[in-house]
Amino acid sequence: MENKELFEIALKSVDHHYIENYGEYGQVACAILSEKGNIYTGLCLDLSCSLGMCAEQAAIAEMLKHGETKIKKLIAVHEGGIIYPPCGRCREFIYEVNRENLNATILLDGLKEVKLSDLLPSTWMEHRIKEEDDGEKYND
Ligand SMILES: [Zn+2]
């Protein structure tokens, strides 16, 4: 799939709504091309209590519903067509869903391709695992 096509899918998914003036959703949409060639989309959600989730997380939840965890390509698009890189929380989220997602292609401004590993050179999870491994060594 061409990057422009995935961009268009994400842009068409943008569907901005306000929730009784206290929250909003859909101003950012994410489109994921899975390793199996399926497309999953998701919308962001921002509530007044500061809870919410990014479009990437919603798209991943949709992917999980279909039994998939491996991402081939991902893009997040704000209304108006601005491409957002995944936030720090999403970078770790994408990685922890499937560690092989470090090889996923993330589309940035200008449809520039980078790997998730470029955006997340050091994961929280790998340090956590190392701490646990070191802990076990200390207990020996
Ligand atoms: Zn995020």
Side-chain angles (χ1 to χ4, degrees):
M1 169 175 285
E2 294 295 323
N3 294 344
K4 180 75 173 168
E5 191 177 351
L6 197 62
F7 169 81
E8 292 295 337
I9 290 169
L11 184 58
K12 285 179 185 169
S13 299
V14 170
D15 191 17
H16 193 178
H17 294 272
Y18 290 92
I19 305 168
E20 298 179 4
N21 297 323
Y22 293 107
E24 59 185 316
Y25 67 92
Q27 65 272 36
V28 177
C30 174
I32 289 173
L33 173 65
S34 75
E35 190 68 25
K36 292 182 180 175
N38 296 312
I39 301 290
Y40 300 104
T41 60
L43 300 176
C44 68
L45 171 64
D46 297 308
L47 299 175
S48 64
C49 59
S50 80
L51 292 176
M53 65 180 170
C54 297
E56 292 91 330
Q57 295 165 25
I60 287 171
E62 189 65 21
M63 183 175 71
L64 295 176
K65 272 175 46 186
H66 292 83
E68 292 195 67
T69 59
K70 288 177 71 175
I71 296 170
K72 186 171 183 181
K73 200 175 284 187
L74 178 149
I75 189 169
V77 179
H78 189 268
E79 57 189 350
I82 300 167
I83 299 171
Y84 282 175
C87 72
R89 182 173 178 230
C90 282
R91 294 174 194 190
E92 183 72 23
F93 192 94
I94 293 164
Y95 166 71
E96 291 202 18
V97 166
N98 188 318
R99 292 185 204 177
E100 291 181 37
N101 285 339
L102 278 178
N103 295 318
T105 297
I106 309 296
L107 298 176
L108 302 179
D109 191 35
L111 298 177
K112 177 186 174 188
E113 292 187 359
V114 296
K115 296 295 181 189
L116 179 63
S117 59
D118 297 326
L119 301 176
L120 186 68
S122 181
T123 70
W124 179 86
M125 187 175 167
E126 70 188 17
H127 289 284
R128 180 71 181 125
I129 290 169
K130 185 178 181 315
E131 282 177 17
E132 287 176 359
D133 289 348
D134 289 347
E136 288 176 15
K137 288 177 192 167
Y138 294 134
N139 291 331
D140 288 341

